[in-house]
């Protein structure tokens, strides 16, 4: 497939939306709407059998959701992903990690977004004060056992696709290490 045109139709400090004209391999033409967001980091804070989650209001869904700490740099800046992971963990939870292990890569919604995310396992955790952005002031945090976490997924209380996929990466890593 070949891109024949591109125009930005909307932008704000967190994302841009563009419309690309394309020519398919058979010669027909079409368009793609693409949401461009910077790459993000997601952190799984693990202390023994406990996972640390954040809960916040997700405006597009109109509800509060539990998920792992995750995010992008302000103003669509490109920040080294390990640094971003440590910052997101500290910002949202106040936790600092002695060890950050890269678990893998996730594509958010590859049919409509260019955004990709790196998943990190954070261990050797120490607590401190959070440093939340203004939009995150209603955020809550809590520790959950792995069993509680899995039951919350099964019950539909945790529906964040990135958090569930990140947990699958953790389980695969643990299975390969066993």
């Amino acid at each position: 497939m070949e891109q024949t045109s591109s125009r930005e139709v909307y932008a704000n400090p967190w994302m841009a939306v563009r419309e690309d004209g394309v020519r398919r391999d058979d010669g027909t033409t079409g368009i793609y709407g693409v949401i461009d967001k910077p790459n993000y980091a997601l952190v799984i804070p693990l202390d023994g059998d406990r996972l640390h989650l954040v809960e916040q209001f997700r405006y597009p869904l109109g509800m509060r959701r539990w998920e792992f700490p995750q995010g992008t740099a302000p103003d669509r800046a490109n920040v080294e992903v390990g640094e971003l992971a440590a910052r997101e963990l500290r910002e949202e939870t106040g936790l600092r990690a002695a060890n950050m292990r890269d678990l893998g890569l996730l594509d958010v919604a590859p049919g409509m977004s260019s955004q990709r995310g790196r998943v990190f396992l954070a261990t050797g955790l120490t607590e401190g004060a959070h440093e939340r952005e203004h939009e995150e002031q209603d955020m809550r945090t809590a520790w959950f056992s792995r069993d509680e976490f899995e039951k919350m997924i099964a019950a539909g209380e945790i529906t964040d696709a990135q958090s569930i996929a990140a947990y699958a990466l953790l389980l695969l890593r643990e299975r390969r290490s066993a």
Side-chain angles (χ1 to χ4, degrees):
M1 188 172 310
E2 173 190 359
Q3 180 182 340
T4 58
S5 65
S6 185
R7 69 183 182 98
E8 185 174 271
V9 296
Y10 174 80
N12 67 32
W14 302 276
M15 62 184 267
V17 178
R18 64 183 156 89
E19 183 177 277
D20 291 352
V22 296
R23 181 175 294 105
R24 297 179 193 93
D25 293 342
D26 68 0
T28 60
T29 60
I31 60 168
Y32 271 94
V34 179
I35 301 167
D36 286 319
K37 292 188 74 169
N39 292 340
Y40 71 96
L42 181 149
V43 183
I44 301 175
L46 180 64
D47 180 34
D49 185 49
R50 301 182 316 152
L51 299 164
H52 200 84
L53 302 177
V54 298
E55 185 204 48
Q56 62 185 316
F57 183 76
R58 289 300 193 181
Y59 180 82
L61 298 177
M63 59 182 65
R64 298 185 67 80
R65 305 309 302 156
W66 285 103
E67 57 197 42
F68 287 122
Q70 58 191 289
T72 62
D75 299 317
R76 292 189 273 158
N78 191 8
V79 174
E80 191 276 319
V81 71
E83 177 185 329
L84 181 59
R87 196 191 91 211
E88 287 298 318
L89 180 65
R90 182 181 66 252
E91 243 180 41
E92 294 186 3
T93 68
L95 296 171
R96 276 81 171 154
N99 305 301
M100 293 282 262
R101 176 184 231 175
D102 187 337
L103 295 180
L105 179 66
L106 297 176
D107 291 328
V108 176
M112 65 177 172
S113 177
S114 63
Q115 188 177 40
R116 307 185 93 187
R118 271 279 161 204
V119 177
F120 290 87
L121 174 64
T123 57
L125 300 169
T126 56
E127 295 192 22
H130 65 75
E131 302 169 11
R132 295 184 186 134
E133 296 174 0
H134 184 71
E135 295 83 10
E136 299 170 330
Q137 294 307 308
D138 71 333
M139 187 176 279
R140 297 183 338 193
T141 66
W143 287 99
F144 296 90
S145 71
R146 288 172 78 145
D147 186 55
E148 289 172 315
F149 178 76
E150 291 175 11
K151 285 178 181 173
M152 291 168 76
I153 292 171
E157 296 170 27
I158 294 176
T159 57
D160 177 59
Q162 284 70 243
S163 294
I164 295 169
Y167 190 65
L169 288 175
L170 173 62
L171 295 175
L172 290 172
R173 174 66 58 101
E174 290 173 339
R175 187 182 314 163
R176 285 193 308 257
S177 298

